[in-house]
Amino acid sequence: MLSVEVLEAGYGGAQVLFGVSMEVGDGRLTCVMGRDGVGKTTLLNVVMGVVPVSGGSVTFEGRPLTGLRPDQRVRLGIGYVPQGHDTFPQLSVMGNLMVTLEASPHKDATAVDDALELFPGLGPLLKRPAGNLPGGRQRQLAMARALVTRPRLLILDEPTEGVEPSIILEIEEAIERLRASGLAMLLVERHLDLALRLADDFVILDAGRVVRSGTAEELKGEDVHRLLAV
Ligand SMILES: Nc1ncnc2c1ncn2[C@@H]1O[C@H](COP(=O)(O)OP(=O)(O)OP(=O)(O)O)[C@@H](O)[C@H]1O
């Protein structure tokens, strides 16, 4: 579904990713892990076209993404939930979802119902300005917005970072349900226990290079903690 090959990327003269190759298979969840600053977010931003590549390629469903803008990648079927609160803070929860629906290629309102069904905690908050919601609810809204576009690949950058424990559970459940529905996902997650519960496949980065990759089963016997410890 998503194929990254021998990717080189960075910011100006500062190279961050060195020959990174990885895949997300149909209906599979691939988790990218690694210490702070190893290039996880940069990898996601390259897939979305936010950071340009200086070498290698990114292919989605057999189509090279080179030269496509982020919004064009969304239209092709890639949903992206970046780190932090990716919502329109002044708009209500429903307003956030409707704006996204209007910008989506399909304009099928049942996509809003489906997204809200996945996050029942948002139901009583539909009229509240997004910027006034607790952090975890904002994160759920950002995920709901990405889902309204009906992506075939969903990219999540640390969806549980800074989120209240009770809402972390809800987010984990939502990711499990999306996985059961067959949605392919690319996830950056720093909590190894959570990642091991959710992921089919792993990619571990260190200093911009892939140092381990494989299925969750293959990785269980390895000393993964060593690669993630600060
Ligand atoms: N916009 C930017 N301009 C210049 N350098 C950047 C920019 N964004 C990130 N970097 C640098 O690129 C490197 C990789 O950062 P990146 O955010 O991809 O790491 P990460 O693995 O996602 O870490 P974290 O979990 O801390 O976000 C770091 O050295 C960082 O300082």
Side-chain angles (χ1 to χ4, degrees):
M1 153 142 304
L2 180 78
S3 180
V4 170
E5 284 174 38
V6 226
L7 194 71
E8 312 272 330
Y11 305 91
Q15 188 165 348
V16 172
L17 298 176
F18 300 85
V20 169
S21 297
M22 49 119 0
E23 302 228 331
V24 182
D26 283 349
R28 292 184 76 83
L29 192 157
T30 297
C31 184
V32 181
M33 301 197 80
R35 302 179 179 102
D36 288 352
V38 295
K40 305 179 296 294
T41 297
T42 302
L43 174 61
L44 303 191
N45 281 334
V46 168
V47 171
M48 283 318 291
V50 178
V51 171
V53 299
S54 51
S57 64
V58 181
T59 311
F60 177 61
E61 295 181 331
R63 177 180 175 161
L65 297 182
T66 315
L68 295 182
R69 296 187 310 266
D71 61 299
Q72 293 172 314
R73 297 180 195 217
V74 172
R75 285 182 169 265
L76 277 183
I78 307 179
Y80 184 32
V81 186
Q83 260 173 321
H85 308 312
D86 187 37
T87 58
F88 300 109
Q90 328 275 357
L91 287 183
S92 67
V93 168
M94 190 49 123
N96 267 272
L97 297 174
M98 294 312 291
V99 162
T100 310
L101 178 67
E102 278 153 27
S104 77
H106 60 73
K107 306 208 173 12
D108 173 4
T110 60
V112 171
D113 302 335
D114 292 347
L116 286 172
E117 200 255 327
L118 195 64
F119 297 109
L122 293 177
L125 306 171
L126 294 180
K127 293 186 176 156
R128 289 262 295 270
N132 290 357
L133 300 182
R137 295 284 179 228
Q138 291 197 37
R139 198 64 60 85
Q140 290 180 322
L141 177 57
M143 286 179 67
R145 279 188 56 215
L147 289 167
V148 162
T149 65
R150 290 213 191 281
R152 294 186 300 287
L153 171 69
L154 181 65
I155 300 181
L156 301 168
D157 195 352
E158 300 208 33
T160 64
E161 189 198 14
V163 169
E164 312 82 291
S166 59
I167 300 188
I168 289 182
L169 271 180
E170 293 180 17
I171 290 176
E172 181 175 352
E173 272 173 34
I175 294 173
E176 270 167 3
R177 283 182 59 191
L178 291 169
R179 183 169 166 244
S181 77
L183 180 65
M185 284 180 271
L186 176 58
L187 169 72
V188 168
E189 175 56 57
R190 67 177 59 213
H191 299 110
L192 181 60
D193 50 345
L194 181 60
L196 283 170
R197 285 200 294 277
L198 291 172
D200 299 297
D201 302 298
F202 280 89
V203 174
I204 301 182
L205 294 180
D206 196 18
R209 292 183 164 82
V210 176
V211 288
R212 285 284 189 292
S213 62
T215 64
E217 280 305 310
E218 285 166 350
L219 237 65
K220 267 180 189 155
E222 293 211 27
D223 186 11
V224 177
H225 288 275
R226 189 177 50 80
L227 295 166
L228 303 176
V230 181

